[in-house]
Amino acid sequence: MLTTLKTSYTDTRAADLAWALGREPLPALATLDLELAGAQLQLRLLGASHQVLLEEERGSCSETVACIPGSSTPLPLGVAKRVGDWEYEFAARVEVLSPGSFAGRAQELLALVADHPHGLAGVFPGSPHAFTALLAQRHEGHVHWRTWHAYPQDGHLVATRTRVGVRVAPAAQLGPRQARLSPSGV
């Protein structure tokens, strides 16, 4: 789903983005509710930022990447944490692109997300290349999402990817019969 957001472009620098896990829902400019094999997922656009809310039988998880007033947690390159019964993995990178490359990459990403049934993208007034986009899927028992935050004035494109799934018990914690059932030991 592609939408034009009716707001000013508020997060104006990639360096101002912060990451937070477990925040309450913030006011959203656009949302997309998804059901992915028993997982309820809500993709949320917050200015030039995002929030993803995941609800499943085993619990809930909330990820926010935004300019968060008073936050002392900058956008990390990577995070691996336990969240209840889940393993949570997050990675981020900042691409620095020339104006021509940026425009091409922006068009490519918006085309990818706009027509995808699990995608949400918001373009900001004033620049067709100022956008935030999210794309989700469920694969092998894990929920995955990718996001892109575009800052055309600086040529910065912030890309994140997240994977959330049930923790797998090590083979040592399984009984001998259970350990033999799987070639990987789990």
Side-chain angles (χ1 to χ4, degrees):
M1 179 171 85
L2 179 62
T3 185
T4 298
L5 301 171
K6 294 172 178 48
T7 186
S8 61
Y9 191 56
T10 56
D11 295 351
T12 57
R13 293 177 347 127
D16 292 338
L17 286 176
W19 167 86
L21 196 58
R23 288 186 68 101
E24 292 296 316
L26 297 171
L29 299 172
T31 63
L32 179 63
D33 292 315
L34 301 170
E35 158 105 24
L36 301 174
Q40 305 299 316
L41 196 65
Q42 185 176 67
L43 307 179
R44 303 167 59 82
L45 295 177
L46 322 168
S49 312
H50 83 264
Q51 187 173 49
V52 176
L53 307 176
L54 172 63
E55 293 279 337
E56 203 175 38
E57 172 182 307
R58 288 175 160 65
S60 62
C61 179
S62 165
E63 172 188 280
T64 306
V65 171
C67 293
I68 303 170
S71 175
S72 61
T73 307
L75 190 64
L77 294 177
V79 173
K81 294 183 79 119
R82 288 187 173 149
V83 179
D85 288 341
W86 292 335
E87 292 289 342
Y88 169 91
E89 296 174 8
F90 172 86
R93 76 177 189 284
V94 178
E95 296 178 46
V96 180
L97 303 164
S98 68
S101 294
F102 193 95
R105 183 84 168 118
Q107 289 173 345
E108 173 186 284
L109 289 169
L110 288 171
L112 170 72
V113 175
D115 294 328
H116 195 285
H118 302 147
L120 174 63
V123 177
F124 293 87
S127 172
H129 305 131
F131 68 92
T132 299
L134 300 95
L135 187 62
Q137 68 176 357
R138 184 159 191 136
H139 181 67
E140 296 181 356
H142 290 85
V143 178
H144 302 258
W145 58 86
R146 297 186 63 195
T147 74
W148 299 271
H149 303 253
Y151 299 91
Q153 71 280 8
D154 297 327
H156 291 167
L157 181 67
V158 178
T160 74
R161 66 175 171 75
T162 301
R163 183 177 82 143
V164 179
V166 176
R167 275 192 293 185
V168 178
Q173 292 179 349
L174 299 173
R177 183 179 185 295
Q178 290 172 309
R180 286 191 307 265
L181 293 177
S182 170
S184 66
V186 262

